[in-house]
Amino acid sequence: MRRILIRGGISPLDNVNSEEMLLRDFSGSNIGNYLYQYSIFRALSVENTELYVDNYASNIKNADAINNKYDQYILALADAFREDFIPQLRAYTELIKKLNIPVIVVGVGLRAAYDTKLEENFIFDDIVKDFIAAVLEKSTIVGVRGQITADYLSKLGFREGIDHQVIGCPSMYAYGGKLKIADFVLEKQSKITLNLSEKSPDNCVDFINNLTKKFENYTFIPQIYNEFLLSYGGASISSSYVNYPSTLKHKIYQDDKVKFFHNLQPWLKFMGEIDFSIGTRLHGNIAATIAGKPNVLITTDARTKELAEYHNLPVIPYFNIKDNDDLDKLLENIDLYSAEKKQSENFKNYLLFLEKNNVKNIYEIDQKANNPNFDDLFFNGEYEDAIQVISHCTPKVIVERLTIFNDRISQRNKRLNHIYINMIKTDYENHIRQLEKEVEFLKGRP
């Protein structure tokens, strides 16, 4: 029996109830992570294979247990090349160096400004070099999300096509190489979903807010864990822009138009029932894409730009958006079916990447991507749906919610403090080991 460890917080076949979500963020801060993890789970659910999640643990102390229990480690990463992910990259590098099993990185990317200049240096360059070098000791080739990340790794000295390969985002291959987007005519009663990042540019936030005034049948789908807490009964979230829906006082929450999905299956089912999606969230719109629904991604940075270009997604660059733009007029210049045209080619490239790394998958047996056993468990399973926003609950439910919230968050904070202390300790120990190596090197010099 082959056992594979996958980076993630939960299997897509497991149901998370809201009280459990209060205790632990299974999404890794963003429910968009559910999508590419789902695609990987579905693809790797083959006979004689067991799949497990690592709960986002990257502690070097887990190395022996991983070596003894698993045959492969799949690191499903998003925009991991960024400043605030440096401690995790260091930790993964140290862990990977201690592993004796293949470690395959699927879909890693660079976080940078929309018009970033790659000739400039990033603070994390050396950390990324060490990480990629460690991964290449355990696998054949690294899968990156787009050409900007590929060019970045090439600048660091790694060879495109040999050390790294552009594969896009695995979430786009959830159902193989076929993609069919439904026909669509925008009407006032169209059922649309809206999405935004809390760091979206002001003009994009205003644009989405204005759509809520023009289309009554809309739903806002937040993705960040703190927005789950807000819906459940927590505090307002921080945002760089006053008009972002960061508080229950915002029109979107007041209208009871918010759905935070803490399980993937209800989210995908809901997206299969809409007419159209638009916003700055990459996976908010990929969810619509793989559900076969037309959508438009507003690209705001290098990571959304490179993935949109690779997958040929329908896009509008953020700087082309005006807050009072008419959606009908914008759609006149957009091909809502553009992603269909590159899907087959991109999927074949993805299969080649899996083959190079000896990752067994369902496509080797059936390139139509049928997986009836997995699909039956997933689509017919019972999952808790999006929770009701607390401000629209009955007084009795509000009291129950707040009591549960305070209890669970208190437990969660105690656990996180313990984890944080251990992370600092591990980072310190890694730093001391590195200094010792440098001292030994200097001693050996003439």
Side-chain angles (χ1 to χ4, degrees):
M1 180 69 71
R2 177 187 292 247
R3 293 178 174 84
I4 300 177
L5 186 63
I6 299 172
R7 183 176 182 269
I10 194 168
S11 163
L13 298 178
D14 291 334
N15 173 42
V16 178
N17 68 51
S18 55
E19 292 183 26
E20 290 175 318
M21 193 77 167
L22 291 175
L23 284 171
R24 185 157 71 88
D25 175 13
F26 294 94
S27 71
S29 82
N30 186 336
I31 62 167
N33 295 330
Y34 284 163
L35 278 172
Y36 57 82
Q37 292 160 3
Y38 165 70
S39 177
I40 291 170
F41 260 84
R42 187 177 184 277
L44 271 55
S45 292
V46 296
E47 197 172 338
N48 296 320
T49 299
E50 293 178 349
L51 306 177
Y52 302 84
V53 293
D54 68 354
N55 296 312
Y56 294 112
S58 55
N59 196 323
I60 192 173
K61 295 176 181 178
N62 296 332
D64 288 342
I66 293 173
N67 283 326
N68 292 332
K69 187 173 181 180
Y70 302 105
D71 301 294
Q72 278 184 331
Y73 193 2
I74 308 294
L75 284 180
L77 294 167
D79 51 339
F81 301 156
R82 64 181 194 267
E83 187 171 351
D84 64 355
F85 202 70
I86 286 175
Q88 290 92 328
L89 271 185
R90 281 183 174 144
Y92 272 119
T93 301
E94 293 299 315
L95 172 62
I96 291 167
K97 287 178 180 178
K98 290 290 185 180
L99 297 180
N100 302 323
I101 62 173
V103 179
I104 297 97
V105 169
V106 185
V108 68
L110 171 71
R111 177 183 291 185
Y114 191 94
D115 55 353
T116 189
K117 302 293 187 292
L118 289 179
E119 58 266 23
E120 299 172 2
N121 294 327
F122 292 93
I123 192 173
F124 44 76
D125 285 353
D126 289 339
I127 290 97
V128 171
K129 281 183 187 178
D130 291 344
F131 173 76
I132 295 296
V135 172
L136 289 173
E137 288 290 323
K138 311 296 180 183
S139 61
T140 303
I141 195 165
V142 172
V144 301
R145 299 177 98 188
Q147 195 57 49
I148 295 174
T149 302
D151 292 342
Y152 171 63
L153 290 185
S154 294
K155 188 198 79 165
L156 295 182
F158 299 102
R159 301 158 298 175
E160 185 170 0
I162 299 174
D163 298 322
H164 58 90
Q165 173 183 343
V166 178
I167 61 171
C169 183
S171 58
M172 284 291 292
Y173 313 122
Y175 306 116
K178 294 293 184 181
L179 187 62
K180 179 61 179 174
I181 305 299
D183 294 333
F184 171 67
V185 176
L186 182 64
E187 298 174 345
K188 187 174 179 57
Q189 294 303 315
S190 292
K191 188 175 182 180
I192 67 174
T193 56
L194 310 173
N195 55 79
L196 277 172
S197 162
E198 72 281 10
K199 297 178 181 178
S200 297
D202 296 358
N203 61 316
C204 298
V205 176
D206 286 340
F207 172 71
I208 294 297
N209 278 324
N210 283 335
L211 290 182
T212 69
K213 302 170 186 175
K214 298 174 182 177
F215 298 92
E216 295 180 0
N217 200 11
Y218 77 89
T219 302
F220 179 70
I221 302 182
Q223 292 184 201
I224 297 299
Y225 181 67
N226 284 346
E227 292 174 301
F228 164 74
L229 298 180
L230 173 63
S231 291
Y232 193 95
S236 300
I237 67 169
S238 60
S239 174
S240 58
Y241 190 45
V242 67
N243 285 340
Y244 184 84
S246 57
T247 169
L248 296 178
K249 294 179 181 179
H250 191 281
K251 176 185 185 300
I252 289 175
Y253 282 92
Q254 289 289 307
D255 288 350
D256 197 16
K257 295 288 191 176
V258 178
K259 284 186 178 291
F260 190 103
F261 292 97
H262 50 286
N263 284 295
L264 177 62
Q265 187 246 44
W267 184 18
L268 286 181
K269 282 191 172 182
F270 182 81
M271 297 307 286
E273 297 168 356
I274 67 165
D275 298 313
F276 177 73
S277 171
I278 188 168
T280 62
R281 284 284 180 196
L282 174 71
H283 286 101
N285 293 296
I286 286 182
T289 301
I290 64 175
K293 298 300 180 176
N295 61 91
V296 174
L297 170 67
I298 302 172
T299 51
T300 59
D301 53 17
R303 63 194 179 91
T304 52
K305 178 184 177 184
E306 69 172 352
L307 272 165
E309 289 176 348
Y310 184 74
H311 289 294
N312 206 26
L313 300 174
V315 301
I316 305 175
Y318 76 94
F319 46 79
N320 287 343
I321 289 283
K322 297 181 178 59
D323 59 9
N324 60 351
D325 273 338
D326 184 87
L327 184 55
D328 277 300
K329 291 283 181 62
L330 288 176
L331 294 181
E332 287 176 1
N333 301 312
I334 297 174
D335 179 3
L336 294 176
Y337 312 97
S338 57
E340 295 177 351
K341 299 167 185 175
K342 282 197 70 179
Q343 182 72 0
S344 179
E345 175 189 345
N346 288 351
F347 179 62
K348 289 176 183 177
N349 181 60
Y350 181 57
L351 291 185
L352 181 62
F353 166 78
L354 296 178
E355 182 182 338
K356 287 178 181 177
N357 284 302
N358 193 31
V359 178
K360 302 297 180 185
N361 57 83
I362 61 171
Y363 312 120
E364 294 174 339
I365 302 169
D366 183 355
Q367 291 220 356
K368 293 182 180 179
N370 292 319
N371 195 342
N373 292 335
F374 182 92
D375 291 345
D376 181 61
L377 291 171
F378 181 74
F379 285 106
N380 295 319
E382 292 186 6
Y383 299 85
E384 187 173 285
D385 204 349
I387 61 168
Q388 180 78 39
V389 173
I390 189 169
S391 54
H392 293 276
C393 293
T394 65
K396 180 181 179 181
V397 171
I398 290 174
V399 172
E400 291 174 351
R401 281 264 196 100
L402 293 177
T403 302
I404 293 170
F405 181 88
N406 291 330
D407 176 65
R408 298 296 186 274
I409 293 301
S410 175
Q411 293 181 47
R412 179 173 177 269
N413 287 340
K414 288 178 182 178
R415 183 178 62 84
L416 288 179
N417 286 337
H418 178 70
I419 292 173
Y420 183 64
I421 290 170
N422 284 338
M423 282 179 63
I424 294 175
K425 182 180 177 182
T426 300
D427 199 41
Y428 174 76
E429 291 172 347
N430 290 341
H431 183 61
I432 293 297
R433 281 197 296 270
Q434 183 62 33
L435 289 176
E436 289 172 345
K437 290 178 184 177
E438 292 176 6
V439 169
E440 289 301 316
F441 172 77
L442 292 173
K443 283 181 180 179
R445 294 179 66 180

